[in-house]
Amino acid sequence: MAVRSLTEPVVGSDTVTFTYRDPRRRLTGVRLAHELREPRALEFRRARGTAWTLDLPRPNADRMEYLLELKNRHGGNDLVCDPLNPLRAPGPFGDKSVVELPGYVKPWWLDEDTPPGKLEQIEIPSRTLKATVPVIVWAAAGAGEDEPLPLLVVHDGPEYAGYSALLRLLDVMWGEGRIPTMRAALLPPPGDRNQSYSASAQYARALVWEILPALAEAAPTPDERRLRVGMGASLGALAMLHAHRLHPHAFGALYLQSGSYFRQRYDPQERSFVRFRRITRFVGEILGGRGWWEPIPVAMTCGTVEENLANNRAVASALADHGYDVAWHENRDAHNWTAWRDTFEPHLVELLARVWS
């Protein structure tokens, strides 16, 4: 029995049924391109007439993002959104179609009417990186121009603002009195993201010894480690944890989402990644308990259907074993900007309120 259907796909009690219309029979195949762990190859079958269909068992999630891979007679493939599904999620590589299953609730704070904070863009030169990093600094509406305030340092910050409504959250939570008057520095990855954010000692050195001091001048922060919190998702989370491990004085707490904590044994599908071995060496040090530990509060989130859920669980467990105050949360989604947005409240809010109280 169908539980819910907007147009397509049809959400049933046990399955989600996808349909693609092919009235001129131009396709030789249709595949679901998705973020779920298993199975990876989800081929549609040609139904009677001119349609392709797929019955997907209901995933352990409240929403999922996907594209359709269309195979034509000339051997080419096209990735497209589902033309029968009006729901879309934006992202750096374009829109994806979305299925919202029963149980999904959009964050309440997205619809709140709160005055926005102040934005300023600054340019930070880095001799280490041989680059200039353009940083957007957000300040709560009640912030004084030269007032020393706590600072949230965000990897992939412009994407967090554009696709996860991070600044909207901060505006609302400050207006509600849930977080103190503060600033946030939105950092883009300098140069090649896969190089900078893949456990790079060079990037960590530039972040801690060049970017953070320049931020302290442009966005004054009290000289207390606890008043600077680092944040990132995917490779950005990995890079933030790596910077902390090399330079433990830099941050007083971390908010890490869906970290790309690759391991040699469990991630053969990632071996072609340009810095796979460098990442696995660093993750091996964390899991093996090697090096000097200086624990700080850490909040971690990861999706229930993410391919790297086990890796995130392992890193969270290792940090807890070595004295870190770890708050762990699994959200019913996958590896995407909406999933990360949906965990901000309460998890990011609670971390900031706790370490800055």
Side-chain angles (χ1 to χ4, degrees), residues 198-222:
S198 55
S200 165
Q202 180 186 41
Y203 173 72
R205 185 166 60 252
L207 172 66
V208 172
W209 295 111
E210 294 177 326
I211 296 173
L212 293 185
L215 283 173
E217 291 186 15
T221 308

Side-chain angles (χ1 to χ4, degrees), residues 102-356:
Y104 178 72
V105 179
K106 186 176 72 170
W108 62 268
W109 49 266
L110 288 171
D111 298 321
E112 292 297 300
D113 184 17
T114 305
K118 295 169 282 189
L119 294 176
E120 176 187 6
Q121 180 159 320
I122 62 174
E123 305 284 329
I124 299 179
S126 168
R127 295 180 63 182
T128 301
L129 299 174
K130 298 180 176 61
T132 297
V133 183
V135 180
I136 299 171
V137 178
W138 169 92
E145 185 173 345
D146 297 319
E147 181 183 2
L149 295 172
L151 180 66
L152 177 65
V153 180
V154 188
H155 277 163
D156 291 312
E159 285 76 16
Y160 259 122
Y163 304 119
S164 298
L166 174 61
L167 299 186
R168 182 68 184 149
L169 171 98
L170 297 178
D171 288 331
V172 172
M173 293 303 143
W174 179 80
E176 295 270 328
R178 299 270 305 274
I179 58 176
T181 302
M182 56 165 284
R183 295 187 180 92
L186 308 183
L187 275 59
D192 185 335
R193 182 176 184 271
N194 290 345
Q195 294 284 352
S196 298
Y197 282 178
S198 55
S200 165
Q202 180 186 41
Y203 173 72
R205 185 166 60 252
L207 172 66
V208 172
W209 295 111
E210 294 177 326
I211 296 173
L212 293 185
L215 283 173
E217 291 186 15
T221 308
D223 190 21
E224 292 183 56
R225 182 182 69 168
R226 70 179 184 86
L227 296 176
R228 196 163 47 231
V229 173
M231 173 177 174
S234 192
L235 283 173
L238 172 85
M240 196 60 77
L241 179 60
H242 180 252
H244 155 71
R245 293 287 291 136
L246 291 184
H247 309 280
H249 66 281
F251 297 100
L254 300 176
Y255 187 70
L256 308 177
Q257 301 192 274
S258 304
S260 299
Y261 308 124
F262 302 153
R263 294 186 285 175
Q264 287 273 4
R265 180 177 178 183
Y266 298 105
D267 298 292
Q269 75 283 358
E270 301 288 356
R271 283 179 181 157
S272 62
F273 183 77
V274 63
R275 288 298 184 178
F276 179 73
R277 290 188 179 276
R278 188 164 72 187
I279 292 174
T280 58
R281 282 196 300 270
F282 169 63
V283 175
E285 291 172 2
I286 296 288
L287 300 182
R290 299 191 294 276
W292 175 261
W293 298 87
E294 192 164 335
I296 58 175
V298 177
M300 299 177 65
T301 76
C302 194
T304 52
V305 291
E306 285 199 48
E307 191 170 65
N308 60 353
L309 176 60
N311 292 344
N312 277 259
R313 285 173 173 168
V315 169
S317 178
L319 293 176
D321 287 345
H322 290 278
Y324 285 74
D325 179 3
V326 178
W328 169 256
H329 175 72
E330 295 179 17
N331 56 307
R332 291 176 55 78
D333 206 321
H335 194 90
N336 59 70
W337 291 99
T338 299
W340 299 327
R341 177 199 73 186
D342 290 353
T343 67
F344 291 164
E345 199 281 322
H347 306 291
L348 174 61
V349 175
E350 289 180 348
L351 177 69
L352 298 182
R354 179 159 58 95
V355 299
W356 290 342

Side-chain angles (χ1 to χ4, degrees), residues 4-12 15-19 32-36 54 56-59 61-68 82 84-89 96-105 305 332-334 336 338 342:
R4 177 171 176 252
S5 177
L6 296 173
T7 303
E8 296 283 352
V10 176
V11 178
T15 61
V16 181
T17 299
F18 298 85
T19 301
L32 189 72
H34 61 87
E35 304 170 307
L36 310 179
L54 169 69
L56 174 72
R58 283 266 296 265
D62 291 332
R63 65 182 295 280
M64 62 174 288
E65 298 181 8
Y66 68 98
L67 293 170
L68 300 180
D82 187 343
L84 299 180
N85 181 357
L87 291 181
R88 298 285 188 270
K96 290 184 178 180
S97 295
V98 181
V99 179
E100 294 179 353
L101 291 105
Y104 178 72
V105 179
V305 291
R332 291 176 55 78
D333 206 321
N336 59 70
T338 299
D342 290 353

